[in-house]
Amino acid sequence: MGKYLDTFSFSLSSFLIMFTLLSFTEKDIRLIGVLSAVTAFLVGVIVHWVLKRTPILKFRRRRNESEKKIKALIYMDENDALNSVYGLLSQKYRLKDSILNAGCMLFKEGEHETRYALVVIRKFKVSPDDILSKWREIKKNMSLEKIVFAIPGKSDPDVKLMPIKLASPDVMILDKIRLKKLLRKYDFEITTHALRKRIKFKQRVKAFISRKRAVRYIAYALLLTVNYILFGSILYLIFASLLGFAGVFSFLSENESEFLSD
């Protein structure tokens, strides 16, 4: 019921605002009423569509945020990545006595105080050799029951077989999917500052000038031109000229390839 009331409220407000604005044009009251009613109807349709999709949009936004946070682990300093993953695991499991040691996080779990080592492999794609080399290094220098490998990036299919092939210490794989599930469930805060870049003014302009937007700009310009003919306001003509220029410029612009270094 609340969605319908909100839709009605927005529609009524848009009708009153449009009717008031058009009344200054000294046009026929019937034309003003029709245009205001059409505006109110369109606003109502858009508002109702947005309200219906709000839960879906929230889910997608949360999923995208978790994706960014997991990806940020790859760019982090090693100790920061270890602390972040350990903090996330601590939300679900009873962990204690954590300490950083030679590229891994040592900790204990539960009443039996099972000894673990946590390793975050900060690579875009992980192979079984990455797991094996680190496993051998830890086995040689430490006495542990299990090693947890957190993989925020992609991994080869054979990586899933490593817990079967390796023992003493045993291996546990926390791949990207499992990390995202934990992050969405416990809403743990992982900094994403490593992914943020300053966008220069030129790059901001390029984001709005592209062939994909050209038709949209020209359509808006034509619509404003029609409004200028109907109502005679010079503002419509000014904005129509600006959007028309942007549309032509966008249509003539060349598509640029994207690179990782951009």
Side-chain angles (χ1 to χ4, degrees):
M1 186 65 180
K3 293 181 180 179
Y4 294 101
L5 290 176
D6 290 339
T7 302
F8 176 78
S9 177
F10 275 100
S11 297
L12 181 60
S13 299
S14 61
F15 177 86
L16 294 175
I17 293 172
M18 183 60 67
F19 192 90
T20 302
L21 292 175
L22 294 179
S23 63
F24 292 102
T25 62
E26 298 181 355
K27 299 293 182 180
D28 191 308
I29 192 68
R30 290 170 294 183
L31 176 62
I32 293 175
V34 170
L35 292 176
S36 301
V38 171
T39 302
F41 174 78
L42 294 177
V43 170
V45 171
I46 295 172
V47 169
H48 185 67
W49 178 80
V50 171
L51 291 177
K52 285 180 64 177
R53 289 179 59 87
T54 298
I56 299 176
L57 294 174
K58 286 182 178 178
F59 170 77
R60 289 179 178 175
R61 184 166 58 249
R62 190 173 180 182
R63 182 183 63 187
N64 292 337
E65 281 297 319
S66 63
E67 181 79 24
K68 291 179 181 179
K69 289 178 180 180
I70 295 300
K71 187 177 181 180
L73 294 172
I74 300 176
Y75 299 91
M76 283 184 185
D77 177 80
E78 186 173 59
N79 290 344
D80 291 339
L82 288 168
N83 284 320
S84 295
V85 175
Y86 177 80
L88 178 59
L89 293 176
S90 299
Q91 302 296 310
K92 182 176 181 179
Y93 305 104
R94 298 171 56 188
L95 310 181
K96 59 183 180 180
D97 298 339
S98 62
I99 183 172
L100 293 169
N101 188 323
C104 64
M105 174 80 77
L106 304 179
F107 61 90
K108 298 178 182 178
E109 181 193 24
E111 297 179 356
H112 300 290
E113 297 190 344
T114 304
R115 293 169 297 175
Y116 284 81
L118 171 65
V119 178
V120 181
I121 303 183
R122 298 170 297 117
K123 298 181 65 175
F124 290 103
K125 190 168 185 179
V126 178
S127 67
D129 290 337
D130 297 319
I131 303 290
L132 184 59
S133 60
K134 194 65 179 180
W135 179 82
R136 286 174 174 170
E137 178 184 345
I138 294 176
K139 181 179 180 179
K140 180 180 179 181
N141 299 321
M142 306 176 193
S143 177
L144 301 166
E145 279 81 18
K146 291 185 179 181
I147 304 176
V148 180
F149 288 95
I151 304 175
K154 297 180 180 180
S155 57
D156 292 338
D158 291 341
V159 169
K160 295 181 179 180
L161 301 177
M162 299 307 289
I164 301 175
K165 296 181 178 180
L166 301 177
S168 294
D170 296 333
V171 168
M172 178 180 176
I173 301 295
L174 284 178
D175 59 8
K176 186 177 181 179
I177 296 176
R178 295 186 65 181
L179 288 172
K180 285 196 292 185
K181 286 182 179 179
L182 285 171
L183 192 58
R184 288 200 296 266
K185 183 176 180 179
Y186 296 101
D187 197 23
F188 185 73
E189 183 62 29
I190 294 179
T191 179
T192 56
H193 71 276
L195 295 179
R196 295 172 185 162
K197 297 180 179 179
R198 292 182 178 178
I199 302 177
K200 297 180 181 179
F201 177 77
K202 185 178 180 180
Q203 292 173 320
R204 291 180 183 272
V205 173
K206 286 184 177 180
F208 291 97
I209 302 299
S210 65
R211 290 187 178 181
K212 293 181 180 180
R213 296 175 179 265
V215 177
R216 189 186 310 171
Y217 290 152
I218 294 174
Y220 289 157
L222 292 175
L223 180 61
L224 289 173
T225 303
V226 172
N227 287 338
Y228 169 72
I229 295 173
L230 290 175
F231 308 116
S233 176
I234 192 63
L235 289 176
Y236 289 126
L237 184 60
I238 293 174
F239 285 113
S241 302
L242 293 175
L243 286 172
F245 176 77
V248 173
F249 189 75
S250 298
F251 184 77
L252 296 177
S253 64
E254 297 182 359
N255 293 329
E256 297 184 1
S257 302
E258 296 183 358
F259 299 93
L260 291 175
S261 58
D262 290 346

